[in-house]
């Protein structure tokens, strides 16, 4: 589990001469624009620039829901960037099938990605018809409830240890003028919060029945109805959030204006940037303190097919750099995510990251919804839960019926 300096030196001797001979600028698009995310992606840029090439940053504000259509439009419109972020899974499936994404199998084979990328499902999500089309760069898990220790102290209640205790603390937080649960206005936040509730309260088997097997009968059943009841609680507790972006909602927790937030581990980057200490200033409940299972979703980079030979060669250098041990550690410590390599030193990991590493080591993992549903099915689900959280007149029963219909036609 240690980065060996000799290995790092050898990696450098492989990359640098090649890069120096073909130094070029590469535009890289992504949606990492919050303070913590920007600090993390700067580590990738620094590592790539060190090869003699130049990372030309193409950040697109507004998170994935806003950025992905822009990225796809550029690629299909004949104006591709050199590399672009997607969540590893099915988001780039149609682009790959259209022959617009570069096959990275040769690079992956040369650098033994199948041996170093853990768990294996990460690389499987980059593989279509036996060929590898992306490089996973992190393991992001959605299944966290982030808590402001100061907010609960101000409300005179103990920091919750699970979802039920959190819901029970809601009235005390509200009495103290604190929003219990911060949920931003972007559709993916509401849908993601529901999916977290589905896994934590419904359990792994039921989660897979709905999202992997597309079992509409289970989606319409009594057990999932309990998840919709919890989503109704979350909707009620989030009233008064009044922010749009996820990092604005995270900032409410950081500043004690909100008691908690259901959000992925990327929220840690914001806590770190604000100088907050895990276990002291804030607490974290993996699996909402109910079911300590995390998803092995996350981010990956795809490389559009380019006509420029020099840029094509530099794409290989970038792919190699993103997966290198030093870049993996530097990026993920700032991003709040876990590295995709199992051979790196994470002694500097904080209390919450260590919880994630422990769960990962035990194998308590699942594929996430991005890996199980098509982009179209995901969009339908996001639209439903955006409306559900914004419209208190929509009953949990009505929402569940619409949800079951989406699952029935999902691909």
């Amino acid at each position: 589990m240690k980065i060996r300096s000799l290995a790092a030196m050898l990696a450098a001797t492989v990359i640098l001469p090649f890069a120096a001979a073909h130094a070029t600028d590469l535009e890289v698009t992504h949606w990492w624009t919050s303070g913590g995310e920007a600090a993390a992606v700067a580590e990738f840029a620094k590592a790539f620039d060190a090869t003699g090439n130049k990372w030309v940053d193409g950040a697109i504000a507004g998170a994935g829901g806003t950025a992905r259509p822009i990225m796809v439009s550029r690629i299909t419109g004949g104006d591709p960037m050199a590399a672009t972020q997607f969540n590893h899974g099915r988001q780039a499936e149609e682009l790959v099938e259209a022959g617009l994404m570069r096959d990275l199998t040769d690079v992956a084979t040369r650098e033994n990605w199948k041996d170093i990328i853990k768990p294996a499902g990460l690389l499987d999500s980059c593989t279509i018809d036996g060929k590898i089309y992306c490089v996973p760069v992190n393991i992001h898990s959605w299944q966290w409830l982030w808590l402001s220790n100061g907010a609960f102290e101000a409300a005179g209640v103990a920091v919750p240890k699970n979802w039920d205790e959190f819901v029970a603390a809601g009235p005390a937080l509200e009495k103290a003028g604190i929003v219990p649960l911060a949920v931003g206005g972007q559709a993916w936040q509401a849908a993601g919060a529901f999916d977290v509730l589905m896994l934590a309260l419904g359990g792994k088997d039921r989660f897979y029945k709905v999202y992997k097997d597309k079992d509409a009968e289970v989606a319409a059943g009594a057990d999932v109805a309990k998840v919709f009841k919890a989503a109704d609680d979350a909707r009620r507790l989030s009233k008064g959030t009044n922010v749009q972006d996820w990092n604005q909602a995270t900032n409410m927790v950081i500043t004690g204006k909100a008691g908690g937030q259901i959000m992925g581990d990327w929220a840690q980057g914001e806590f770190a940037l604000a100088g907050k200490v895990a276990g002291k200033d804030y607490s974290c409940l993996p699996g909402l303190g109910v079911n300590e299972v995390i998803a092995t979703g996350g981010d990956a980079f795809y490389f559009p097919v380019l006509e420029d030979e020099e840029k094509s060669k530099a794409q290989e250098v970038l792919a190699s750099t993103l997966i290198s041990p030093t870049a993996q550690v530097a990026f993920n410590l700032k991003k709040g995510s876990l590295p995709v390599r199992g051979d790196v030193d994470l002694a500097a990991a904080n209390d919450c990251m260590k919880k994630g590493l422990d769960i990962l080591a035990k194998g308590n993992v699942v594929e996430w919804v991005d890996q199980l549903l098509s982009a179209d099915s995901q969009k339908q689900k996001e639209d439903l839960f955006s409306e559900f959280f914004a419209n208190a007149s929509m009953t949990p029963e009505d929402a569940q019926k619409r949800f079951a219909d989406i699952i029935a036609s999902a691909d």
Side-chain angles (χ1 to χ4, degrees):
M1 294 295 292
K2 300 290 183 182
I3 301 174
R4 302 186 183 278
S5 58
L6 177 60
M9 291 171 60
L10 288 173
T13 61
V14 171
I15 296 172
L16 288 174
F18 180 87
H22 303 285
T24 189
D25 294 354
L26 291 186
E27 181 192 8
V28 185
T29 56
H30 59 86
W31 56 78
W32 291 323
T33 57
S34 75
E37 291 174 322
V41 76
E43 295 294 338
F44 276 157
K46 182 167 63 176
F48 184 60
D49 289 351
T51 69
N53 295 287
K54 183 170 179 57
W55 174 293
V56 179
D57 202 71
I60 302 173
T66 299
R68 277 192 298 273
I70 297 172
M71 295 165 174
V72 171
S73 178
R74 282 191 54 184
I75 295 167
T76 57
D79 180 31
M81 62 296 289
T84 188
Q85 171 202 7
F86 285 112
N87 299 119
H88 45 71
R90 300 181 61 184
Q91 292 175 352
E93 195 171 63
E94 293 182 359
L95 295 172
V96 170
E97 291 170 349
L100 297 173
M101 288 300 190
R102 179 172 176 172
D103 177 2
L104 299 174
T105 306
D106 288 345
V107 181
T109 301
R110 186 167 62 243
E111 300 193 353
N112 300 312
W113 288 5
K114 287 187 177 181
D115 294 329
I116 64 175
I117 294 176
K118 305 294 181 183
L122 297 174
L123 201 57
D124 291 343
S125 291
C126 288
T127 304
I128 297 177
D129 295 331
K131 296 179 179 179
I132 296 169
Y133 288 93
C134 68
V135 48
V137 296
N138 59 12
I139 300 170
H140 260 322
S141 52
W142 246 104
Q143 297 72 42
W144 298 84
L145 177 59
W146 305 96
L147 302 169
S148 167
N149 291 358
F152 288 95
E153 182 179 353
V157 291
V159 176
K161 293 183 174 59
N162 56 53
W163 175 253
D164 287 342
E165 290 184 9
F166 177 78
V167 173
L173 290 167
E174 290 172 331
K175 187 176 180 180
I178 298 168
V179 175
L181 182 67
V183 179
Q186 295 162 320
W188 64 269
Q189 295 183 57
F194 176 83
D195 293 339
V196 172
L197 290 165
M198 173 74 84
L199 179 59
L201 305 179
K204 180 178 178 178
D205 290 345
R206 195 161 292 106
F207 179 85
Y208 272 157
K209 276 288 186 183
V210 172
Y211 289 132
K212 194 169 191 174
D213 299 339
K214 318 296 191 296
D215 192 324
E217 185 176 343
V218 172
D223 290 320
V224 173
K226 295 175 184 177
V227 180
F228 273 88
K229 170 60 172 65
D232 190 34
D233 290 335
R235 173 172 63 177
R236 173 176 49 81
L237 294 170
S238 67
K239 184 179 180 181
T241 299
N242 296 327
V243 298
Q244 186 72 8
D245 295 339
W246 71 268
N247 53 303
Q248 293 174 318
T250 304
N251 188 62
M252 291 179 68
V253 181
I254 290 171
T255 58
K257 294 178 182 177
Q261 179 190 27
I262 297 174
M263 186 51 59
D265 52 13
W266 50 88
Q268 288 194 91
E270 303 304 301
F271 284 102
L273 196 66
K276 301 301 181 182
V277 178
K280 177 185 175 184
D281 301 310
Y282 68 98
S283 298
C284 54
L285 298 179
L288 308 185
V290 177
N291 188 1
E292 290 196 350
V293 177
I294 63 174
T296 53
D299 301 295
F301 278 88
Y302 288 77
F303 297 79
V305 174
L306 301 178
E307 295 182 2
D308 187 305
E309 184 178 351
E310 296 302 308
K311 290 186 182 296
S312 295
K313 292 176 180 177
Q315 284 179 318
E316 294 190 16
V317 180
L318 177 55
S320 180
T321 301
L322 295 171
I323 204 73
S324 68
T326 50
Q328 276 288 296
V329 172
F331 171 79
N332 284 293
L333 284 177
K334 289 191 175 178
K335 189 71 164 61
S337 47
L338 304 178
V340 299
R341 299 183 65 119
D343 58 350
V344 294
D345 182 5
L346 283 173
N350 67 28
D351 181 66
C352 291
M353 186 178 285
K354 287 176 181 176
K355 288 182 181 180
L357 287 168
D358 182 58
I359 294 169
L360 187 65
K362 291 176 181 175
N364 296 339
V365 299
V366 296
E367 296 170 277
W368 195 231
V369 186
D370 289 325
Q371 298 164 282
L372 302 173
L373 295 182
S374 68
D376 179 63
S377 296
Q378 276 280 74
K379 179 63 167 58
Q380 293 178 53
K381 185 165 64 68
E382 288 182 358
D383 289 345
L384 168 62
F385 288 105
S386 177
E387 184 180 351
F388 178 75
F389 270 77
N391 181 7
S393 66
M394 181 188 291
T395 67
E397 292 77 16
D398 288 342
Q400 184 178 4
K401 184 178 184 305
R402 286 177 54 180
F403 176 71
D405 289 342
I406 291 171
I407 296 302
S409 62
D411 56 0

